[in-house]
Amino acid sequence: MALPPSALEAQALLDLPLSELTERAVARRDRAFGNRVTFSPKVFIPLTMLCADRCGYCTFAQPPARLDHPYLDLDTVLAIAAAGAEAGCHEALFTLGERPELRYPAARRWLDDHGYESTVHYVVEAAQAVLNETGLLPHANAGALFPEELQALRRVSPSQGMMIESLRDDLDAHRGSPDKVPARRLATLDWAGELAIPFTTGILVGIGETRADRVNALVAIAESHHRHRHVQEVIVQNFLPKDGTAMWRSEPCPDDAYLEAIALARLILPDDVAIQAPPNLSDDFGHLLAAGVSDWGGVSPITADHVNPERPWPDRDRLFEVTEAAGFTLAPRLTVHPAWATRPERWLDPALRFAVLDRSDAEGLARDDPGSVFPERIKERAAAQVADGAEVELIGIDSTQWYSGVPIEPPVLVPERLDPPSAGTPNRGGAVAETLAAFEAGEALDEDRIVTLFGARGPEVAAVADAADRLRAAVAGPEVTYVVNRNINYTNVCTFKCKFCGFSKGPLSLNLRGTPYLLTLDDIAERAAEGWNLGATEVTLQGGIHPKFDGDYYLDVARAVKEAVPDMHVHGFTALEVTEGAKRLDEDLESYLRRLAEAGLASLPGTAAEILDDEVRAVLCPDKIDTEEWLEAHRVAHRVGLRSNVTIMFGSVEHPRHWARHLIRTRELQAETGGFTEFVPLPFVHMASPIYLQRQSRRGPTWREVVLMHAVGRLAYRGLIDNIQASWVKLGLGGARQLLQAGVNDLGGTLMDENISRAAGAEHGTMATEADFAAIAGSLDRSVRQRSTLYGTVDPRRAPAGV
């Protein structure tokens, strides 16, 4: 990491004209953050408005006589937090005065009566209650603290904050404010770094300090960050006079001085530190972007800015409108920024890691689907209730966000009719626009470009979807295809310990309420024949790896199906199953696959891929085949004449770079063999998945991530894989309809008796019909066609019964 500028180097910036200063700051911001601006949807909890300090600009602090109670009680705190969770917030910002018990006997009495040693002690308990009951992530802003206080808060608050304000020790604004002594505040900042606390700090501009003073404060923050790497954002706040304060007659911070301070912050602080400006303190907050701002800070849909109650927050729609009008995309974040959230072992107390993960998307930003978010609590279902569904059920307050497998319609991210990509948006560019332009010019998407597209936000998502859909139209035409198939999950007993799987049973499974089973060969043959009589042209065979199986079992299953229904396409046995089968027979994989083909196997599913990156597989499925073994199984299958598909299970623990690597590895194999028929994204269904119940994964992908996975997949496989499939059983038919406008041309199978997704908690049913598919395709003026497994035509006499 480069050294921060010296005081002399930083002071030299003051010689630059404002226009050059802001131009340099914008360039620096764009290199570090691109065209993305973040904000934190939060609630403000004014735990106490008593304060030991007497700052000359503050209307937040009040004497006891003006308050009903010295502190908010826990019931009131939890009511505010619950309202925030209901409104889709992710953060609970605790605002309070500093150490009021040192000044006011009323504060000391209240703390004693309620059993608290100090105000900080009460903040710890209140934050823990908010975290437990609502899942909101606390951000403690308790002022200048000592190490033991910071450490106590670290266990309940993923991030903390304290404004430096100014390093001048003779400001009238801070007269009578013992906690505003610069040395105390700098010590707190450094102690927070030593304790690995993601920290927010900042300066207050216009309270009597000079331009040089602002530079000195920013340099001090930069130096502390250089030592500890803990400053995630710096707030540059403009002073506004308020009635009822000692400074009510002072002039507000001039706009030029404010813009200069923002630009100076961006140029003095390292690139990984976000520069924040409160949007409610400027009438035209959009123009602050032209000085280097990359974050709007906390914005609340339900609570006022208690420090500046006369300045209401812009609503979320206004925030998006202004930000996007300036050519930026807006993304919600957590109280802990992504670079810190995605390194929990360094920056988060173990007790907080799941709480942060549970509200994170794949980039470490906040989940951005609308709706409420509450902690998920579960209870086991009785064995009689389980049948073929999930073995746990949610209890308590339900979240209302969309999740894969839940029967809630996703938000509309892909418009019905897309305008041309450049229409209606500023021509500011950005990495996503540049990547799409390069793609349209014929360039391939490398790993970095794929990661860039996965980061699309706001209007960029529709632009990526549009590019994918235009490619779909050119490659696959207007047809929407599907296959009529019968799922046969022949056993739920498995010797492997995949942490995401809610289907398999075994001695080490997390949940053992369901009944382990193993179908007989007669059962399998009967189900295949039943599927054929209902119009199926394919049986899809998947199951656990039973400890009693030898490799001959899979040969016997294939023969049983073909003997019962000679014309049925046998689509079955994952790379794990065929690799394990060959191992148990001590047989060469190519020889084994040839025998399977002779027995009737016609194609392999792409499942067992999960994420083809061994860093992720070490977490999800450590005893399973690795990336190279999966690729080799499909390489050999293609060599012996078996076709297969590519799947990706996404939304659990991995990040966009892992997705990109997965796409590239499979794309390279397709260029080598040409044996993949389709790409099938499979969103992680979290509800009854062991890894989620063990509090080690996210809640599956967001809807934005689902749209992008299908669209980016279409673009990344250009010229190599022509078919992109949506998994309606995990997404719902409404979700699948939206994806048909984002590069998807295939709806997969009717999936009679699909059990694996249901075991993980999916609620979309066990079968779709041709009428279901025709309805959603027809609503988009698209035709629907039944296909064979390998995308050939189907004898019309094989139409499903009853349709």
Side-chain angles (χ1 to χ4, degrees):
M1 175 177 139
L3 289 170
S6 67
L8 284 176
E9 291 170 329
Q11 292 290 347
L13 294 171
L14 295 175
D15 296 332
L16 297 175
L18 180 59
S19 58
E20 183 175 348
L21 200 65
T22 55
E23 183 178 346
R24 289 189 186 186
V26 164
R28 181 87 172 269
R29 186 269 319 281
D30 290 352
R31 286 195 300 272
F33 294 91
N35 66 331
R36 178 183 293 173
V37 176
T38 51
F39 77 103
S40 178
K42 66 173 71 173
V43 290
F44 291 75
I45 301 177
L47 198 65
T48 179
M49 300 178 79
L50 302 176
C51 185
D53 295 330
R54 298 175 174 87
C55 297
Y57 46 78
C58 181
T59 57
F60 176 75
Q62 300 292 326
R66 295 185 184 176
L67 302 174
D68 293 334
H69 304 284
Y71 296 83
L72 295 183
D73 60 48
L74 277 180
D75 287 344
T76 303
V77 167
L78 290 175
I80 295 171
E86 183 71 29
C89 296
H90 293 288
E91 176 183 347
L93 171 60
F94 284 86
T95 54
L96 59 149
E98 300 198 31
R99 305 185 188 279
E101 64 271 30
L102 300 183
R103 180 179 176 187
Y104 295 114
R108 182 67 268 167
R109 282 195 302 272
W110 191 96
L111 292 170
D112 290 342
D113 290 347
H114 290 81
Y116 299 113
E117 297 174 7
S118 67
T119 297
V120 172
H121 186 194
Y122 183 39
V123 177
V124 170
E125 179 162 326
Q128 186 70 71
V130 165
L131 191 67
N132 292 345
E133 296 301 318
T134 72
L136 290 185
L137 302 177
H139 176 77
N141 197 11
L145 303 180
F146 295 104
E148 60 275 15
E149 295 170 317
L150 291 164
Q151 183 62 50
L153 284 167
R154 189 181 189 271
R155 291 190 285 270
V156 296
S157 183
S159 62
Q160 297 181 48
M162 176 209 64
M163 294 284 283
I164 290 292
E165 295 189 5
S166 175
L167 295 185
R168 281 277 296 276
D169 59 5
D170 60 347
L171 292 176
D172 287 344
H174 288 156
R175 184 177 299 166
S177 301
D179 292 300
K180 296 299 175 74
V181 174
R184 282 278 294 115
R185 300 186 92 71
L186 286 177
T188 298
L189 182 62
D190 260 350
W191 287 328
E194 291 170 6
L195 293 169
I197 296 170
F199 210 74
T200 295
T201 188
I203 63 172
L204 185 54
V205 185
I207 56 172
E209 81 293 348
T210 66
R211 298 166 72 219
D213 294 333
R214 297 165 199 157
V215 169
N216 289 337
L218 292 169
V219 168
I221 294 169
E223 289 173 344
S224 182
H225 180 68
H226 181 75
R227 289 190 290 272
H228 308 294
R229 303 289 293 176
H230 66 305
V231 178
Q232 54 179 2
E233 60 182 339
V234 166
I235 303 168
V236 182
Q237 182 173 332
N238 52 320
F239 164 73
L240 296 176
K242 300 179 177 67
D243 291 341
T245 67
M247 297 178 66
W248 71 277
R249 290 185 175 178
S250 300
E251 291 295 321
C253 175
D255 193 55
D256 282 357
Y258 189 34
L259 295 175
E260 180 188 68
I262 292 170
L264 287 168
R266 181 63 285 158
L267 293 173
I268 292 170
L269 292 157
D271 286 349
D272 57 345
V273 176
I275 304 302
Q276 179 193 130
N280 62 317
L281 301 186
S282 297
D283 294 333
D284 174 21
F285 62 88
H287 82 298
L288 304 179
L289 295 166
V293 165
S294 61
D295 186 85
W296 293 128
V299 176
S300 179
I302 61 171
T303 55
D305 178 356
H306 297 292
V307 178
N308 302 282
E310 76 285 0
R311 306 288 301 194
W313 297 112
D315 65 35
R316 184 178 171 125
D317 289 344
R318 177 64 177 159
L319 202 66
F320 273 88
E321 177 187 331
V322 170
T323 305
E324 292 175 0
F328 294 84
T329 62
L330 189 64
R333 62 164 173 83
L334 304 173
T335 180
V336 56
H337 287 239
W340 290 263
T342 54
R343 293 183 57 203
E345 68 288 345
R346 170 76 177 93
W347 294 107
L348 298 176
D349 186 90
L352 293 175
R353 293 174 189 174
F354 176 69
V356 172
L357 189 63
D358 199 33
R359 287 177 173 271
S360 296
D361 69 8
E363 292 185 84
L365 287 162
R367 301 185 69 88
D368 56 1
D369 291 317
S372 63
V373 187
F374 285 94
E376 292 196 350
R377 297 179 172 88
I378 59 99
K379 69 175 182 179
E380 290 186 355
R381 290 179 174 175
Q385 295 177 304
V386 171
D388 59 3
E391 296 163 5
V392 299
E393 62 180 317
L394 298 179
I395 58 176
I397 303 174
D398 288 338
S399 300
T400 61
Q401 278 195 337
W402 177 89
Y403 301 103
S404 51
V406 174
I408 295 173
E409 285 298 306
V412 176
L413 297 184
V414 184
E416 288 291 322
R417 298 186 183 278
L418 292 171
D419 295 325
S422 61
T425 57
N427 188 24
R428 190 177 183 279
V432 170
E434 292 168 3
T435 298
L436 289 176
F439 177 83
E440 298 288 354
E443 297 181 28
L445 298 176
D446 62 12
E447 182 178 314
D448 286 341
R449 284 176 167 172
I450 291 172
V451 171
T452 293
L453 292 182
F454 279 131
R457 300 270 172 173
E460 294 174 339
V461 176
V464 174
D466 181 42
D469 209 46
R470 285 186 282 109
L471 180 58
R472 182 272 312 161
V475 170
E479 277 190 338
V480 176
T481 53
Y482 70 97
V483 63
V484 178
N485 65 345
R486 177 70 184 265
N487 248 52
I488 303 178
N489 304 123
Y490 39 81
T491 184
N492 63 352
V493 177
C494 189
T495 58
F496 288 84
K497 300 180 286 296
C498 298
K499 294 182 180 179
F500 57 85
C501 183
F503 173 73
S504 67
K505 302 289 173 285
L508 297 179
S509 293
L510 181 66
N511 301 298
L512 297 175
R513 300 288 296 181
T515 304
Y517 71 84
L518 173 63
L519 299 181
T520 66
L521 293 177
D522 287 343
D523 292 332
I524 294 169
E526 181 181 343
R527 294 188 184 198
E530 183 181 73
W532 179 262
N533 292 333
L534 291 171
T537 61
E538 170 194 308
V539 290
T540 303
L541 298 164
Q542 293 185 87
I545 310 296
H546 198 288
K548 294 183 179 179
F549 287 176
D550 59 19
D552 288 331
Y553 175 81
Y554 300 109
L555 294 161
D556 294 340
V557 169
R559 292 190 189 104
V561 172
K562 295 299 282 186
E563 287 172 6
V565 191
D567 293 331
M568 183 73 86
H569 182 106
V570 179
H571 178 67
F573 314 134
T574 67
L576 173 63
E577 290 168 301
V578 298
T579 299
E580 187 68 14
K583 284 181 181 177
R584 292 186 181 186
L585 292 175
D586 196 23
E587 183 175 355
D588 174 76
L589 180 59
E590 182 167 340
S591 168
Y592 181 62
L593 282 168
R594 289 189 186 279
R595 290 207 295 138
L596 278 171
E598 291 168 2
L601 182 66
S603 61
L604 272 65
T607 41
E610 282 58 85
I611 300 291
L612 293 175
D613 187 288
D614 289 338
E615 179 178 279
V616 177
R617 299 181 78 77
V619 177
L620 291 178
C621 46
D623 60 343
K624 207 170 185 176
I625 54 174
D626 63 21
T627 296
E628 283 301 327
E629 288 174 314
W630 188 95
L631 292 167
E632 181 63 12
H634 286 266
R635 179 181 290 109
V636 175
H638 297 168
R639 187 159 65 235
V640 304
L642 296 170
R643 304 294 294 278
S644 64
N645 58 37
V646 177
T647 66
I648 183 171
M649 188 200 74
F650 64 106
S652 60
V653 299
E654 77 296 336
H655 303 297
R657 190 156 298 276
H658 299 118
W659 302 342
R661 292 171 184 168
H662 183 108
L663 295 180
I664 288 172
R665 297 300 300 274
T666 51
R667 183 174 70 185
E668 290 171 344
L669 182 56
Q670 179 71 345
E672 175 188 336
T673 69
F676 291 125
T677 55
E678 64 209 346
F679 173 54
V680 189
L682 300 172
F684 172 59
V685 178
H686 75 282
M687 286 78 77
S689 176
I691 194 170
Y692 183 78
L693 297 178
Q694 292 166 343
R695 300 166 67 87
Q696 296 173 3
S697 79
R698 301 193 298 277
R699 295 190 185 193
T702 67
W703 180 245
R704 181 189 62 84
E705 292 167 341
V706 169
V707 170
L708 289 172
M709 182 61 73
H710 291 79
V712 174
R714 168 64 74 184
L715 301 178
Y717 290 121
R718 177 174 61 182
L720 292 169
I721 297 179
D722 290 342
N723 300 299
I724 309 296
Q725 183 184 121
S727 174
W728 64 265
V729 75
K730 298 178 188 296
L731 302 169
L733 292 172
R737 179 186 184 278
Q738 199 172 148
L739 295 175
L740 287 173
Q741 302 169 87
V744 166
N745 68 295
D746 186 77
L747 294 174
T750 54
L751 293 175
M752 305 174 198
D753 293 334
E754 197 286 329
N755 293 329
I756 293 175
S757 296
R758 282 174 55 77
E763 300 180 43
H764 288 305
T766 60
M767 182 175 175
T769 67
E770 182 183 40
D772 294 327
F773 294 155
I776 61 174
S779 69
L780 298 171
D781 295 326
R782 303 261 290 276
S783 59
V784 68
R785 175 177 69 85
Q786 182 185 350
R787 62 166 173 86
S788 69
T789 304
L790 303 183
Y791 288 82
T793 58
V794 173
D795 187 333
R797 291 172 294 180
R798 294 296 308 139
V803 176

